[in-house]
Amino acid sequence: MIVRIKAFARFREIIGSENTLDLDEGTPVLGALKNLSAGSKDFRDACFDREGTIASHVVLMINGKRISGRDRESMVLHDGDELAIFPPVAGG
Amino acid sequence: MIVRIKAFARFREIIGSENTLDLDEGTPVLGALKNLSAGSKDFRDACFDREGTIASHVVLMINGKRISGRDRESMVLHDGDELAIFPPVAGG
Amino acid sequence: MIRLQQDDFNVTTLVEAAKSRETGAIVTFIGIVRDDGIECMELEAYHEVAERELAVIRDEAMKEFPLHSVDIIHRTGPLRVGDNIVLIVVSAGHRKEAFLGCEYIIDRLKQTVPIWKKEYLKDSSRWVGGEERHGHS
Amino acid sequence: MIRLQQDDFNVTTLVEAAKSRETGAIVTFIGIVRDDGIECMELEAYHEVAERELAVIRDEAMKEFPLHSVDIIHRTGPLRVGDNIVLIVVSAGHRKEAFLGCEYIIDRLKQTVPIWKKEYLKDSSRWVGGEERHGHS
């Protein structure tokens, strides 16, 4: 299945604004992020804390909806989904 | 002595925006207002309540400074003073 | 700038003039003639005293809150529904104080500044009472 | 109107457009690039989601307070010190709700709308953290 990754701010600077991943059906968010980390140590360092869990300040959205709690790792992605990753917002 | 009377809003409509009174030295505010009332029943009705005291909603200023409490009746006017009379303010 | 004037004001111009390099937030309040069944209104002021009171309020606000600038323009004369009555422009480093300062100023203005409004209805007219009565906003 | 745009906005034009016959008060908030030792900044947004979140905030504000209209324009792209970042225009019958509504909107905007700022200093650059960190206002 194809999942689009949108990255903003310093995540965009590391992996570019838009990536397309070809993942196995049923891959969860964590799987997609690990896939991206495999290609970029900088991305891994920005996304994960020292314990290997997604850093608390990282914001994740699937199709424009924020995901929180356990969903941040385990929510399953579907073909055509847009997964967005970015740091805390600072508009206004 | 000469005292200028500035009137605003409905007081202006009754006695005009500016009047000059020639009063005895030592005349208090009450004396000036009674002097004006003598010439206009409408002014008297607007300025005084039924007990003959200055109505509580009437605002008075001498030379641009609000006078309150007992001063509203007893403060003594001086030659060249500007006594202003108006209803509650409603700007903004 | 503190001013009573018949002419309308331009909000953009005053906002731009209020900026300094330290400005991060500008809050403006615009009071407008509301249609309370009226045709038009006439504003009257005790000019010298009103301008002096507005300056006092500006000074109070700048003492109370860390503001960079305060401008108040209040119109007088005949106004129609939809016309601007008053503009307050408050600039500050941060938004909290800009909001607090701006609201403080309009609240005080309505309490103390000698300005009056006469509303003209279809067949009659009336003087608007002070705040807590028929205040427009 | 809810809009993310590169271009600047005209406050006067939006204030005039916000008026109806029932409008008695308009409060505006303008966020401005403040000189925190920076040369300029670049604003980036998750466009579709940011505009949708702004519309959600507008709807929340209009549900919470008796407002007549809410307009939010947020700029993106390169901005210099003194440039406008965001404009919020809130119209209402009375001033209290206009102030409350406007402050509610900018508070929420800073919490939830996916927009980021990169500040360029003389020899370096930095991403601005979220509210309660180095927020500009």
Side-chain angles (χ1 to χ4, degrees), chain B residues 6-10 12-13 57 61 63-66 82-84 86-92, chain C residues 44-46 48-49 52 74 109-118 127-130 133 136:
Chain B
K6 286 238 186 187
F8 297 95
R10 65 195 173 87
R12 174 186 54 74
E13 291 180 327
H57 61 268
M61 283 186 171
N63 301 327
K65 293 229 166 70
R66 212 171 275 239
E82 176 173 297
L83 173 65
F86 48 82
V89 302
Chain C
E44 178 177 336
Y46 187 178
E48 320 83 84
V49 177
R52 209 183 56 209
H74 203 299
L109 188 158
K110 285 177 171 275
Q111 291 163 0
T112 68
V113 181
I115 299 175
W116 303 270
K117 297 193 191 92
K118 187 167 193 173
W127 285 99
V128 176
R133 297 218 253 167
H136 90 288

Side-chain angles (χ1 to χ4, degrees), chain A residues 67-74:
Chain A
I67 51 176
S68 57
R70 234 176 295 186
D71 286 347
R72 284 159 57 85
E73 304 215 325
S74 62

